[in-house]
Amino acid sequence: MAGLNCGVTLPLLGVLLLGAVRLTRGAAFEIGLPYGSGITVSISPGASPLPPGKPCYIFSRKMATSLVIKSGETKGFSFSCLNPENYFVIEILRNIDCMAGPCFFGEVQLQPPTSQLPTLNRTFIWNVQAHKRIGLELQFSLPRLRQIEPGDSCPDGVTHSISGRVDSTNVKIGTFCSNGTVSRIKMQEGVQMALHLPWFHPRNVSGFSIANRSSIKRLCIIESVFEGEGSATLMSANYPLGFPEDELMTWQFVIPPPLRASVSFLRFNVSNCERKEERVEYYIPGSTTNPEVFKLADKQPGNMAGNFNLSLQGCDQDAQNPGILRLKFEVLVQYPQHESNVSYVVDLSHERAMSLSIEPRPGRQSRRFVPGCFVCLESRTCSTNLTLTAGSRHRISFLCDDLTRLWMNAEKIFSCMDHRYCLRKSYPLQVPRDILQLPVQLHDFSWKLLVPNDRLSLALVPAQKLQQHTQERLCNASFSYLLAGAGASPGQDLYFGSFCPGGAIQQIQVKQNISVTLRTFGPSFRQEVSRQGLTVSFIPYFKEEGVFEVIPDTKSKVYLRTPNWERGLPALASVSWNISVPSDQVACLTFVKERTGLVCQTGRAFLIVQEQSSAAEEVFSLEEVLPKPSAHHHNFWVNISNCSPASGKQLDLLFQVSLSPRTVDLTVILIAVVGGGALLLFALGLIICFVKKNRKKKRNKALAVGVYNGNGNTQMPMQPKFPKAPKDIDPHVYAVIEDTMVYGHLLQGSNGSFVQPEVDTYRPFQGPVGDCPPSPPPICSRAPTLKLAPEDPCPGFSPEPESEPYTFSHPAKCSGGDGNTDVPLLHAHEAEQPGE
């Protein structure tokens, strides 16, 4: 009895153990393929490597990492792990030979059905071989296909890969996702269709059918059907690799009425052709020139109504250097716009060195369909960007639902290379009327003004005085001028700033080439276009980077700042402001901050304030504390000269000028009169003493200490005018015996050498004050810095004193002049010959 029980128990135990093993291995599968079906099923490791500690295997009679089931075979198998979809993929290949016998046509089924397959990432491949004269057509039911670039993924993970054949070479037609416009693909000589399904996708149909068609005599034809507004992006075969040599590919577009289609080439390359020429051809309904032939670099047709075809034709390529022919383009379909029937003429036939670009305004990208904005030349050649050049008349129209999505940018060059011809000539900087009449906002209009180096400079005179845009006083006009100049060396480019009408700047002079950009803000510019206007004049060359002529308004403060505000004034650059003060006003000059924070690596940085009615200059070091607010009763200069700043330091100054009525103090007048009388009596006394002393010296037979220069100018050096003297005589030379010659024995040191006193350099007066901006001291000068005495910021302004103390004088050297302190800087330079 015990033996019987033992015999029964052992088989039962074996069955239980086998069930436990199968339970740990996962579910068992069995796949049987009919004989002659041409189907092969392969299970192989996927992209993810097998786990090192817990390997996953396939059990089918024996343990393996792959399994192949051929036509006419049936195999059962299971996996040793519970998640085989992470490590294995399954491929179902079906070969259809249309050359040996009748082909299978109609709707394609998934064989074996997905219910019999393990839950792995699976790929169904249909490989159809056909004769060269047989055309095969793949028809896709809804949803249609959308082409993507190789390597991109589809949202649902379902991908279609389609390839054709040229002789024995496979040509990839493209990779596609669902939810697109591609409804049919026709090929010749064979096709390979691959459907990639993720393991979790429940799809159990192929979604396409195969039909037999006549020869298409080209690589393929792709049909794209639009049922409403939308867009489609399509690519040439083998994209992004090269299109097959000397092949032809066609796209057919179905556009229902009343929609319009426009084509834009997003990216293309051309190969090196030995024979023929690469091109695209359009068959457009109603066209009398079909086919319309375009180069790939041409603007492509737009605003097309009805169905049309687009074909890409290759060429015979150079065997040594074939190059790459590829094309990626977009077809945008939308309802016609009202502007599409309105044309505008832009006459640039009389313009030179000018271009006008109409382009999309930068904006946020939207995932939903947005109708495109196209500019059409002669109503047919449309693109998102259009550039019109000078010398021709252009007729344009717009295919756009919202013209505010477009704007215009223009550029014009004024170039003068012969300074003798351009000197003192003036030219207006105005926007042509044909541009202003277009229904698109003008964004930028730039004038590039070019002059010969060290020969000419430029003067800009606005139609209305300008205001400089600062944080303290913002521009609120509908347009402004952006001024940017080019420095003498790299790194010295100057951005002078942004200027709008309604300020105090009457003229801007710049040393060298400059770009003037008119920038508009909103549609209100059309109502204020009459305020726009600049006149540029070519003037004699000067060395300062810029000179601003400022006429302040009594009603508001004027804020001015140095160029290159964000990056700092370039090294060794100098800028001046010529500030006019009315006779009945007093100007208060105030610097917004107390210190610049500047540290000079080489040289010195100076601020010079000079009253134009005298030779006095106030010189301040910009590495120290800036001056307190100061009052000025006459026109004055403000000059800022930079050094070579240390790394990380920059010079940027902001100052303001305000006017207030001049007041007269009777007490000051009485003091001035009494003081003047006392001064007169004192002068008479000095004269009497001087005469007596001279008489006494004549009687004295001792040797004279001074030497009289009879040929020199005896006028005092600080007088504003000098009589004319011959060129070989310097009217400013005085012969004086130095103190060291008379009192040298007092300066001898203990070793017998002379101790030299530290002296400053005196620079004599060289011309009428006011013609030129103040000249900064030499970089190596040790001139003392004169600071204003601390005072309250212009509390009502003190009356003008009768006499001004001499502080520090070294005006710039200017040629000629008649002593008129009101002569502008431009006239002061005209006496010089350019380049001398």
Side-chain angles (χ1 to χ4, degrees):
M1 185 71 179
L4 180 59
N5 290 339
C6 181
V8 174
T9 303
L10 288 176
L12 180 59
L13 181 60
V15 171
L16 292 176
L17 289 175
L18 179 61
V21 170
R22 290 192 175 184
L23 183 60
T24 57
R25 293 176 182 175
F29 299 93
E30 184 178 86
I31 296 177
L33 300 178
Y35 182 80
S37 62
I39 300 176
T40 301
V41 176
S42 301
I43 302 176
S44 59
S48 299
L50 295 175
K54 300 179 179 179
C56 188
Y57 298 102
I58 303 173
F59 283 93
S60 177
R61 295 185 180 179
K62 63 179 181 178
M63 187 173 59
T65 57
S66 62
L67 178 66
V68 176
I69 305 173
K70 297 181 179 180
S71 176
E73 294 181 348
T74 300
K75 291 184 179 180
F77 59 93
S78 62
F79 299 95
S80 64
C81 54
L82 297 178
N83 52 349
E85 65 274 2
N86 293 334
Y87 312 111
F88 294 97
V89 296
I90 185 170
E91 180 181 282
I92 301 96
L93 171 64
R94 182 179 181 184
N95 289 308
I96 302 175
D97 189 359
C98 295
M99 302 181 67
C103 293
F104 167 79
F105 297 111
E107 185 176 356
V108 176
Q109 303 293 330
L110 296 182
Q111 293 179 342
T114 55
S115 58
Q116 298 180 9
L117 300 177
T119 55
L120 305 178
N121 293 333
R122 47 197 179 272
T123 301
F124 291 90
I125 300 175
W126 295 268
N127 187 17
V128 183
Q129 298 179 359
H131 197 273
K132 289 184 178 182
R133 295 187 297 270
I134 296 178
L136 299 174
E137 178 181 282
L138 303 179
Q139 298 178 353
F140 301 96
S141 58
L142 295 177
R144 300 188 177 101
L145 303 185
R146 173 176 59 88
Q147 189 170 7
I148 60 173
E149 289 195 36
D152 291 350
S153 58
C154 300
D156 59 356
V158 179
T159 305
H160 303 73
S161 298
I162 303 173
S163 300
R165 183 181 296 274
V166 176
D167 295 331
S168 59
T169 304
N170 287 331
V171 179
K172 191 167 186 178
I173 303 302
T175 304
F176 302 84
C177 299
S178 303
N179 298 323
T181 60
V182 175
S183 60
R184 292 189 296 176
I185 297 179
K186 302 176 185 178
M187 281 167 288
Q188 192 165 306
E189 195 180 343
V191 62
Q192 186 179 82
M193 169 71 184
L195 173 63
H196 307 275
L197 297 175
W199 64 271
F200 54 83
H201 202 280
R203 181 168 176 168
N204 55 10
V205 294
S206 67
F208 74 99
S209 60
I210 301 178
N212 184 13
R213 293 291 182 260
S214 59
S215 173
I216 59 175
K217 299 180 180 179
R218 63 198 67 200
L219 175 64
C220 69
I221 299 175
I222 298 178
E223 182 183 73
S224 181
V225 178
F226 289 86
E227 297 180 352
E229 288 187 318
S231 64
T233 300
L234 297 163
M235 286 150 270
S236 57
N238 273 351
Y239 189 89
L241 303 178
F243 187 69
E245 181 179 8
D246 196 22
E247 280 294 336
L248 177 64
M249 181 177 182
T250 300
W251 292 267
Q252 295 178 338
F253 297 97
V254 178
I255 312 297
L259 299 175
R260 305 291 178 85
S262 300
V263 177
S264 299
F265 284 3
L266 304 179
R267 181 183 177 187
F268 67 89
N269 292 85
V270 295
S271 58
N272 298 318
C273 297
E274 283 188 343
R275 288 178 298 183
K276 301 181 183 179
E277 185 178 9
E278 297 167 342
R279 64 189 184 274
V280 289
E281 298 178 354
Y282 290 85
Y283 279 85
I284 303 173
S287 175
T288 58
T289 59
N290 281 329
E292 296 189 13
V293 180
F294 293 82
K295 295 182 179 179
L296 274 72
D298 294 339
K299 299 294 183 182
Q300 303 303 311
N303 199 21
M304 294 178 288
N307 305 339
F308 69 96
N309 293 354
L310 166 61
S311 297
L312 174 64
Q313 175 65 64
C315 66
D316 291 335
Q317 299 174 352
D318 184 355
Q320 301 298 326
N321 184 21
I324 293 179
L325 170 61
R326 57 185 172 191
L327 173 63
K328 179 180 180 181
F329 65 97
E330 180 186 50
V331 177
L332 185 64
V333 176
Q334 59 191 18
Y335 287 101
Q337 310 301 321
H338 298 296
E339 288 291 340
S340 62
N341 298 323
V342 180
S343 61
Y344 300 87
V345 176
V346 181
D347 189 0
L348 303 180
S349 57
H350 301 292
E351 298 287 349
R352 294 190 306 170
M354 177 182 168
S355 63
L356 171 67
S357 297
I358 305 176
E359 55 196 23
R361 182 198 302 262
R364 295 181 178 178
Q365 298 292 333
S366 176
R367 292 187 177 181
R368 64 182 182 86
F369 171 74
V370 177
C373 273
F374 291 93
V375 189
C376 303
L377 189 62
E378 302 297 337
S379 75
R380 176 53 61 85
T381 304
C382 301
S383 64
T384 56
N385 297 270
L386 179 64
T387 299
L388 307 179
T389 56
S392 303
R393 295 175 76 253
H394 309 273
R395 183 179 297 275
I396 64 174
S397 60
F398 297 92
L399 181 63
C400 183
D401 65 326
D402 183 7
L403 289 177
T404 60
R405 294 167 54 193
L406 298 174
W407 64 17
M408 297 183 291
N409 293 285
E411 182 181 281
K412 187 173 183 178
I413 299 177
F414 278 98
S415 178
C416 174
M417 295 296 109
D418 187 354
H419 66 280
R420 296 168 297 181
Y421 172 78
C422 301
L423 184 62
R424 297 187 181 89
K425 288 186 178 292
S426 299
Y427 300 94
L429 304 183
Q430 291 183 332
V431 181
R433 292 182 177 272
D434 282 1
I435 295 179
L436 294 174
Q437 55 100 21
L438 294 176
V440 179
Q441 178 193 346
L442 174 65
H443 177 234
D444 279 352
F445 197 112
S446 296
W447 293 272
K448 291 190 175 181
L449 310 176
L450 308 178
V451 295
N453 291 335
D454 302 336
R455 288 288 187 175
L456 292 177
S457 293
L458 296 164
L460 300 171
V461 179
Q464 293 186 350
K465 290 190 296 183
L466 299 177
Q467 166 202 331
Q468 188 170 12
H469 178 85
T470 63
Q471 195 65 33
E472 289 71 19
R473 188 179 180 190
L474 304 176
C475 282
N476 57 3
S478 62
F479 67 94
S480 65
Y481 292 102
L482 281 65
L483 272 60
S489 59
Q492 285 204 341
D493 292 348
L494 270 177
Y495 175 65
F496 287 94
S498 177
F499 303 86
C500 59
I505 301 175
Q506 182 172 270
Q507 187 180 39
I508 302 174
Q509 299 181 10
V510 293
K511 179 175 68 174
Q512 281 291 4
N513 301 338
I514 190 171
S515 174
V516 180
T517 299
L518 170 69
R519 176 161 294 175
T520 67
F521 306 97
S524 58
F525 169 71
R526 297 184 182 275
Q527 285 72 39
E528 299 183 6
V529 68
S530 60
R531 303 175 61 191
Q532 178 264 327
L534 276 177
T535 300
V536 59
S537 301
F538 296 90
I539 62 175
Y541 175 77
F542 61 89
K543 295 185 177 181
E544 285 202 273
E545 300 296 337
V547 178
F548 296 82
E549 186 174 328
V550 183
I551 302 179
D553 189 356
T554 58
K555 299 179 181 178
S556 59
K557 297 179 181 179
V558 178
Y559 289 91
L560 300 167
R561 68 183 184 185
T562 52
N564 267 26
W565 180 253
E566 300 295 336
R567 294 175 293 165
L569 195 65
L572 307 180
S574 178
V575 184
S576 292
W577 290 262
N578 181 8
I579 301 173
S580 299
V581 182
S583 58
D584 60 342
Q585 300 286 320
V586 180
C588 180
L589 173 64
T590 305
F591 290 88
V592 174
K593 55 185 178 181
E594 294 184 357
R595 288 182 175 270
T596 63
L598 179 67
V599 177
C600 290
Q601 185 173 5
T602 58
R604 298 279 303 275
F606 291 98
L607 164 67
I608 302 175
V609 180
Q610 177 187 352
E611 289 271 1
Q612 297 182 15
S613 63
S614 69
E617 289 181 350
E618 295 172 328
V619 184
F620 304 90
S621 173
L622 292 177
E623 295 180 85
E624 301 174 7
V625 178
L626 289 173
K628 299 293 184 180
S630 58
H632 300 272
H633 299 78
H634 301 286
N635 301 349
F636 64 97
W637 285 101
V638 175
N639 173 267
I640 296 175
S641 301
N642 198 11
C643 60
S644 293
S647 178
K649 302 296 181 180
Q650 64 181 31
L651 175 59
D652 46 16
L653 279 180
L654 174 67
F655 59 94
Q656 68 180 34
V657 179
S658 57
L659 298 179
S660 64
R662 179 182 298 188
T663 58
V664 179
D665 194 337
L666 294 178
T667 304
V668 174
I669 293 177
L670 291 176
I671 294 175
V673 171
V674 174
L679 184 62
L680 180 60
L681 292 176
F682 179 70
L684 289 174
L686 287 178
I687 292 173
I688 294 171
C689 292
F690 181 73
V691 171
K692 288 182 178 181
K693 189 174 182 179
N694 282 344
R695 288 178 181 175
K696 186 175 180 179
K697 284 184 178 181
K698 288 180 181 179
R699 292 192 297 267
N700 194 349
K701 295 181 180 180
L703 294 175
V705 178
V707 178
Y708 171 70
N709 181 8
N711 294 327
N713 189 345
T714 59
Q715 191 173 3
M716 294 183 67
M718 290 312 301
Q719 294 297 325
K721 294 186 179 180
F722 293 93
K724 218 166 188 180
K727 293 184 179 179
D728 57 345
I729 297 178
D730 189 346
H732 309 303
V733 177
Y734 300 87
V736 179
I737 295 179
E738 296 183 2
D739 293 343
T740 57
M741 301 297 295
V742 181
Y743 308 102
H745 65 284
L746 300 178
L747 300 175
Q748 278 186 330
S750 58
N751 57 357
S753 62
F754 287 98
V755 179
Q756 297 292 339
E758 183 176 351
V759 297
D760 203 350
T761 303
Y762 171 71
R763 300 179 61 188
F765 178 76
Q766 298 174 344
V769 179
D771 288 355
C772 291
S775 174
I779 293 178
C780 59
S781 171
R782 298 181 60 189
T785 300
L786 179 66
K787 301 180 183 179
L788 290 177
E791 60 180 358
D792 294 333
C794 304
F797 299 102
S798 60
E800 176 187 4
E802 293 297 330
S803 61
E804 298 179 358
Y806 174 81
T807 53
F808 194 94
S809 178
H810 41 75
K813 184 177 180 181
C814 294
S815 61
D818 56 1
N820 181 8
T821 61
D822 294 329
V823 177
L825 179 64
L826 171 61
H827 296 166
H829 289 293
E830 288 180 352
E832 298 182 4
Q833 292 298 325
E836 293 182 357

